[in-house]
Amino acid sequence: MADFRVLADELAQLRTEGRYRPLRVWESPQGVSMMSGGKTYLQFSSNNYLGLTGHDDVKRAAVQAIERYGVGSGSVRTIVGTLDVHAALEAELARFKGTEAALVFQSGYTANLAALSSILGADDAVISDELNHASIIDGIRLTKATRKVYAHKSMEQLEKLLRESASFRQRVVVTDGVFSMDGDIAPLPDIVALAERYDALVYVDDAHASGVLGRSGKGSVEHFGLYGRVHVQIGTLSKALGVTGGYVAGSSTLIDYLLHKARPFLFSTAPTPAVAASCLAAVQVLERCPQLVRRLWDNADYMRSGLQALGFDTGASETPIIPIVIGDPAATARFSDLLAEDGLFAQSIVFPMVAWDKGRVRLIVTAEHSRQDLDLALACLERAGKAEGLLSA
Ligand SMILES: *Cc1c(COP(=O)(O)O)cnc(C)c1O
């Protein structure tokens, strides 16, 4: 009888390389302090940047939506799946992002697949940063467009690729707003200037930038003052906004086109009423409470300086995503395990998420962490860093 020997061999190989990671099961809500296996951890790995997963207004919106509409949305959006809460959420997101329109998808991942596979055709060129998120890479794989990749944030290479793409029907430059593994920010003003010079469209994935970048958390466009100059903005509702889902924001032409063409929109059931309503409430909380964003940045800056003062390599981080770059997968996993034994949870991230020798423990600081939490974490990281020889003893 046939079996999965091939897969089992690959799994065994992952174990030898220190890349095998069993799923950890948590028994408590998202938060600074979380319980797993009966043990409480100080947690630095959630994308719940602003603490909205448990916000009273957001939870209440979900409960009320369930009571009013039930739990399911019945069909895809184009049949009977578009409720007034979906329309209200999309209007709110367009206002939030400063665009004519927005369209909601089941996840940020899906939003990228949907947008890239719809916008791009065989006669187009897509020009992508080498460190763009997997969902961008996968979205590009679904198109017949010519794919060109520039070295991370290299404007020289981007310009060269734009120059040699003049004969394509459309040129689309795609970048993460905040890069999810390194926590650095894309040089969007330079990208936009080059795109304008070479008649290209600009596509920014703000999954880690929405709710984070910009004075009121509106993302890369607000941060750099680029209103009206970015053609496609992708966002997720599952990170800073604390719920689940993704969206595309842009011109009404773009949104109207996606509504007719995007396969995840046409062939996958609409987000549930509770999801749409709680996302709407979350955006409204963010608009009402810009101080959450300020607290997030105060905490991130405090933590990053603290780590650097201890002597850790925090790579290119300039946001609440702070990697501690360690190296090979096994050493990285060991460091993460040591922290966990000491009550600090910070997930290790290894190949293929990052290059083989760039394994890291990635810390995500949130607005909910107190100064005391940050100091406790720094002390714990210092102990583990010395024990592992990452810091001089
Ligand atoms: C997390 C992430 C996504 C996927 O968003 P989900 O809502 O989790 O599917 C897309 N792009 C980037 C850059 C991300 O970091």
Side-chain angles (χ1 to χ4, degrees):
M1 199 173 87
D3 64 13
F4 284 118
R5 203 168 15 187
V6 174
L7 309 192
D9 288 350
E10 262 188 58
L11 285 171
Q13 180 65 21
L14 288 182
R15 280 179 207 272
T16 21
E17 291 169 358
R19 295 202 287 134
Y20 184 84
R21 298 257 90 186
L23 279 181
R24 185 185 279 278
V25 178
W26 298 92
E27 297 123 23
S28 53
Q30 292 296 312
V32 162
S33 172
M34 286 180 66
M35 191 179 276
S36 172
K39 176 172 170 172
T40 301
Y41 295 86
L42 180 58
Q43 183 275 119
F44 278 86
S45 291
S46 173
N47 299 315
N48 182 27
Y49 286 105
L50 305 174
L52 297 185
T53 60
H55 193 285
D56 282 341
D57 293 3
V58 178
K59 290 200 291 190
R60 198 175 313 115
V63 171
Q64 285 172 351
I66 288 173
E67 281 170 354
R68 173 150 179 218
Y69 301 95
V71 292
S73 51
S75 84
V76 297
R77 289 282 305 275
T78 47
I79 304 179
V80 291
T82 298
L83 299 168
D84 48 7
V85 275
H86 294 107
L89 172 60
E90 285 166 346
E92 188 73 24
L93 286 170
R95 197 159 45 239
F96 176 65
K97 283 286 174 179
T99 57
E100 286 175 1
L103 197 64
V104 166
F105 291 87
Q106 297 82 357
S107 70
Y109 183 94
T110 315
N112 269 324
L113 294 199
L116 290 162
S117 66
S118 304
I119 295 167
L120 292 162
D123 301 329
D124 300 326
V126 55
I127 309 177
S128 177
D129 187 291
E130 66 175 340
L131 294 189
N132 279 344
H133 190 259
S135 55
I136 291 177
I137 295 168
D138 293 357
I140 292 172
R141 280 187 185 147
L142 292 175
T143 79
K144 295 195 170 73
T146 298
R147 172 177 167 211
K148 299 170 183 252
V149 176
Y150 56 96
H152 184 46
K153 301 205 289 195
S154 167
M155 293 300 99
E156 216 171 291
Q157 287 188 20
L158 172 58
E159 177 157 25
K160 180 170 165 287
L161 295 175
L162 279 166
R163 203 181 305 123
E164 63 186 47
S165 302
S167 61
F168 288 90
R169 184 186 69 158
Q170 304 183 101
R171 290 145 293 285
V172 181
V173 182
V174 184
T175 185
D176 280 14
V178 169
F179 289 89
S180 51
M181 297 301 159
D182 294 275
D184 56 336
I185 300 174
L188 203 55
D190 299 338
I191 293 173
V192 164
L194 282 174
E196 286 172 353
R197 189 168 326 143
Y198 292 93
D199 188 29
L201 298 160
V202 178
Y203 181 118
V204 178
D205 179 353
D206 258 355
H208 280 285
S210 294
V212 176
L213 281 191
R215 277 160 91 72
S216 45
K218 293 185 166 68
S220 300
V221 167
E222 180 187 32
H223 179 72
F224 287 115
L226 292 169
Y227 283 104
R229 297 170 71 189
V230 169
H231 305 84
V232 186
Q233 296 181 61
I234 303 295
T236 177
L237 298 159
S238 46
K239 289 177 177 150
L241 289 169
V243 192
T244 192
Y247 58 93
V248 181
S251 69
S252 28
T253 305
L254 170 71
I255 299 308
D256 202 20
Y257 186 82
L258 293 178
L259 198 151
H260 288 88
K261 300 277 185 174
R263 295 172 70 82
F265 190 82
L266 298 174
F267 297 111
S268 183
T269 298
T272 69
V275 163
S278 47
C279 288
L280 174 58
V283 182
Q284 288 166 342
V285 170
L286 174 54
E287 291 187 293
R288 238 183 10 251
C289 309
Q291 68 274 18
L292 286 174
V293 181
R294 279 198 294 280
R295 188 161 346 123
L296 170 66
W297 279 88
D298 285 347
N299 282 347
D301 292 341
Y302 182 84
M303 191 67 178
R304 197 179 321 96
S305 334
L307 288 167
Q308 287 168 352
L310 287 172
F312 281 111
D313 174 8
T314 58
S317 167
E318 47 188 334
T319 66
I321 297 175
I322 312 177
I324 298 179
V325 182
I326 293 173
D328 83 73
T332 307
R334 211 165 49 235
F335 187 65
S336 175
D337 290 344
L338 204 57
L339 293 172
E341 276 166 36
D342 207 8
L344 179 70
F345 186 78
Q347 183 66 54
S348 60
I349 297 185
V350 299
F351 183 82
M353 264 80 80
V354 294
W356 187 271
D357 60 344
K358 291 278 198 269
R360 66 205 51 198
V361 163
R362 183 180 62 169
L363 302 172
I364 297 183
V365 178
T366 71
E368 286 193 306
H369 287 106
S370 67
R371 265 307 135 84
Q372 195 191 358
D373 295 328
L374 302 179
D375 287 335
L376 269 171
L378 286 167
C380 184
L381 284 154
E382 184 177 17
R383 280 193 294 278
K386 285 180 174 162
E388 280 293 301
L390 298 168
L391 302 177
S392 45

mmCIF file of all heavy atoms in Angstrom, residues 72-86 269-273:
data_model
loop_
_atom_site.group_PDB
_atom_site.id
_atom_site.type_symbol
_atom_site.label_atom_id
_atom_site.label_comp_id
_atom_site.label_asym_id
_atom_site.label_seq_id
_atom_site.Cartn_x
_atom_site.Cartn_y
_atom_site.Cartn_z
ATOM 1 N N GLY A 72 -23.281 32.866 10.018
ATOM 2 C CA GLY A 72 -22.712 32.703 8.680
ATOM 3 C C GLY A 72 -23.157 33.802 7.733
ATOM 4 O O GLY A 72 -24.092 34.549 8.026
ATOM 5 N N SER A 73 -22.509 33.887 6.582
ATOM 6 C CA SER A 73 -22.900 34.914 5.620
ATOM 7 C C SER A 73 -23.553 34.311 4.367
ATOM 8 O O SER A 73 -23.830 35.019 3.411
ATOM 9 C CB SER A 73 -21.715 35.801 5.253
ATOM 10 O OG SER A 73 -20.622 35.022 4.877
ATOM 11 N N GLY A 74 -23.756 32.997 4.361
ATOM 12 C CA GLY A 74 -24.678 32.399 3.394
ATOM 13 C C GLY A 74 -24.206 32.155 1.982
ATOM 14 O O GLY A 74 -24.634 31.189 1.351
ATOM 15 N N SER A 75 -23.330 33.010 1.474
ATOM 16 C CA SER A 75 -22.858 32.811 0.102
ATOM 17 C C SER A 75 -21.674 33.731 -0.148
ATOM 18 O O SER A 75 -21.265 34.484 0.733
ATOM 19 C CB SER A 75 -23.964 33.102 -0.922
ATOM 20 O OG SER A 75 -24.016 34.492 -1.204
ATOM 21 N N VAL A 76 -21.194 33.670 -1.377
ATOM 22 C CA VAL A 76 -20.179 34.639 -1.781
ATOM 23 C C VAL A 76 -20.806 36.029 -1.799
ATOM 24 O O VAL A 76 -22.040 36.169 -1.804
ATOM 25 C CB VAL A 76 -19.597 34.291 -3.173
ATOM 26 C CG1 VAL A 76 -18.876 32.948 -3.132
ATOM 27 C CG2 VAL A 76 -20.694 34.281 -4.229
ATOM 28 N N ARG A 77 -19.964 37.027 -1.832
ATOM 29 C CA ARG A 77 -20.429 38.413 -1.777
ATOM 30 C C ARG A 77 -21.358 38.757 -2.936
ATOM 31 O O ARG A 77 -22.270 39.593 -2.794
ATOM 32 C CB ARG A 77 -19.211 39.359 -1.781
ATOM 33 C CG ARG A 77 -18.402 39.353 -0.507
ATOM 34 C CD ARG A 77 -19.068 40.165 0.586
ATOM 35 N NE ARG A 77 -19.340 41.527 0.167
ATOM 36 C CZ ARG A 77 -18.460 42.528 0.239
ATOM 37 N NH1 ARG A 77 -17.264 42.316 0.748
ATOM 38 N NH2 ARG A 77 -18.772 43.747 -0.168
ATOM 39 N N THR A 78 -21.125 38.148 -4.103
ATOM 40 C CA THR A 78 -21.873 38.547 -5.303
ATOM 41 C C THR A 78 -23.277 37.937 -5.373
ATOM 42 O O THR A 78 -24.022 38.227 -6.299
ATOM 43 C CB THR A 78 -21.091 38.137 -6.563
ATOM 44 O OG1 THR A 78 -20.663 36.782 -6.392
ATOM 45 C CG2 THR A 78 -19.869 39.007 -6.759
ATOM 46 N N ILE A 79 -23.644 37.086 -4.397
ATOM 47 C CA ILE A 79 -24.995 36.509 -4.442
ATOM 48 C C ILE A 79 -25.823 37.085 -3.284
ATOM 49 O O ILE A 79 -26.360 38.171 -3.416
ATOM 50 C CB ILE A 79 -24.931 34.964 -4.477
ATOM 51 C CG1 ILE A 79 -24.052 34.546 -5.695
ATOM 52 C CG2 ILE A 79 -26.337 34.378 -4.636
ATOM 53 C CD1 ILE A 79 -23.872 33.069 -5.868
ATOM 54 N N VAL A 80 -25.875 36.405 -2.127
ATOM 55 C CA VAL A 80 -26.595 37.021 -0.998
ATOM 56 C C VAL A 80 -25.664 37.277 0.183
ATOM 57 O O VAL A 80 -26.110 37.467 1.313
ATOM 58 C CB VAL A 80 -27.803 36.169 -0.532
ATOM 59 C CG1 VAL A 80 -28.909 36.149 -1.568
ATOM 60 C CG2 VAL A 80 -27.367 34.752 -0.162
ATOM 61 N N GLY A 81 -24.350 37.305 -0.084
ATOM 62 C CA GLY A 81 -23.376 37.418 1.005
ATOM 63 C C GLY A 81 -22.965 38.828 1.378
ATOM 64 O O GLY A 81 -22.196 39.013 2.322
ATOM 65 N N THR A 82 -23.449 39.841 0.662
ATOM 66 C CA THR A 82 -23.069 41.216 1.020
ATOM 67 C C THR A 82 -24.116 41.818 1.943
ATOM 68 O O THR A 82 -25.237 42.114 1.536
ATOM 69 C CB THR A 82 -22.906 42.090 -0.242
ATOM 70 O OG1 THR A 82 -21.845 41.554 -1.043
ATOM 71 C CG2 THR A 82 -22.547 43.524 0.141
ATOM 72 N N LEU A 83 -23.733 41.960 3.212
ATOM 73 C CA LEU A 83 -24.637 42.553 4.202
ATOM 74 C C LEU A 83 -24.301 44.030 4.358
ATOM 75 O O LEU A 83 -23.208 44.462 3.957
ATOM 76 C CB LEU A 83 -24.440 41.854 5.548
ATOM 77 C CG LEU A 83 -24.753 40.357 5.551
ATOM 78 C CD1 LEU A 83 -24.252 39.719 6.845
ATOM 79 C CD2 LEU A 83 -26.257 40.139 5.401
ATOM 80 N N ASP A 84 -25.212 44.768 4.989
ATOM 81 C CA ASP A 84 -24.918 46.189 5.217
ATOM 82 C C ASP A 84 -23.637 46.380 6.039
ATOM 83 O O ASP A 84 -22.929 47.368 5.864
ATOM 84 C CB ASP A 84 -26.132 46.912 5.828
ATOM 85 C CG ASP A 84 -26.740 46.180 7.011
ATOM 86 O OD1 ASP A 84 -26.153 45.168 7.473
ATOM 87 O OD2 ASP A 84 -27.809 46.611 7.479
ATOM 88 N N VAL A 85 -23.310 45.402 6.920
ATOM 89 C CA VAL A 85 -22.059 45.557 7.692
ATOM 90 C C VAL A 85 -20.824 45.469 6.793
ATOM 91 O O VAL A 85 -19.820 46.124 7.070
ATOM 92 C CB VAL A 85 -21.898 44.532 8.842
ATOM 93 C CG1 VAL A 85 -22.594 45.007 10.086
ATOM 94 C CG2 VAL A 85 -22.315 43.141 8.462
ATOM 95 N N HIS A 86 -20.880 44.653 5.740
ATOM 96 C CA HIS A 86 -19.748 44.606 4.813
ATOM 97 C C HIS A 86 -19.590 45.959 4.104
ATOM 98 O O HIS A 86 -18.485 46.488 3.986
ATOM 99 C CB HIS A 86 -19.944 43.512 3.751
ATOM 100 C CG HIS A 86 -19.930 42.120 4.302
ATOM 101 N ND1 HIS A 86 -21.066 41.359 4.412
ATOM 102 C CD2 HIS A 86 -18.920 41.358 4.777
ATOM 103 C CE1 HIS A 86 -20.758 40.176 4.935
ATOM 104 N NE2 HIS A 86 -19.458 40.147 5.167
ATOM 105 N N THR A 269 -16.826 32.194 0.201
ATOM 106 C CA THR A 269 -17.903 32.823 0.971
ATOM 107 C C THR A 269 -17.444 34.087 1.702
ATOM 108 O O THR A 269 -16.301 34.184 2.144
ATOM 109 C CB THR A 269 -18.473 31.776 1.959
ATOM 110 O OG1 THR A 269 -19.013 30.715 1.182
ATOM 111 C CG2 THR A 269 -19.555 32.354 2.846
ATOM 112 N N ALA A 270 -18.358 35.030 1.782
ATOM 113 C CA ALA A 270 -18.078 36.327 2.406
ATOM 114 C C ALA A 270 -17.664 36.161 3.869
ATOM 115 O O ALA A 270 -18.089 35.227 4.538
ATOM 116 C CB ALA A 270 -19.334 37.193 2.325
ATOM 117 N N PRO A 271 -16.838 37.101 4.379
ATOM 118 C CA PRO A 271 -16.535 37.095 5.820
ATOM 119 C C PRO A 271 -17.836 37.097 6.627
ATOM 120 O O PRO A 271 -18.844 37.658 6.185
ATOM 121 C CB PRO A 271 -15.781 38.410 6.025
ATOM 122 C CG PRO A 271 -15.192 38.736 4.684
ATOM 123 C CD PRO A 271 -16.166 38.206 3.677
ATOM 124 N N THR A 272 -17.815 36.473 7.789
ATOM 125 C CA THR A 272 -19.044 36.361 8.577
ATOM 126 C C THR A 272 -19.476 37.739 9.094
ATOM 127 O O THR A 272 -18.662 38.664 9.191
ATOM 128 C CB THR A 272 -18.834 35.432 9.793
ATOM 129 O OG1 THR A 272 -17.951 36.097 10.705
ATOM 130 C CG2 THR A 272 -18.242 34.092 9.384
ATOM 131 N N PRO A 273 -20.760 37.865 9.430
ATOM 132 C CA PRO A 273 -21.251 39.149 9.954
ATOM 133 C C PRO A 273 -20.473 39.605 11.195
ATOM 134 O O PRO A 273 -20.174 40.790 11.337
ATOM 135 C CB PRO A 273 -22.708 38.848 10.323
ATOM 136 C CG PRO A 273 -23.081 37.626 9.552
ATOM 137 C CD PRO A 273 -21.824 36.865 9.292
#
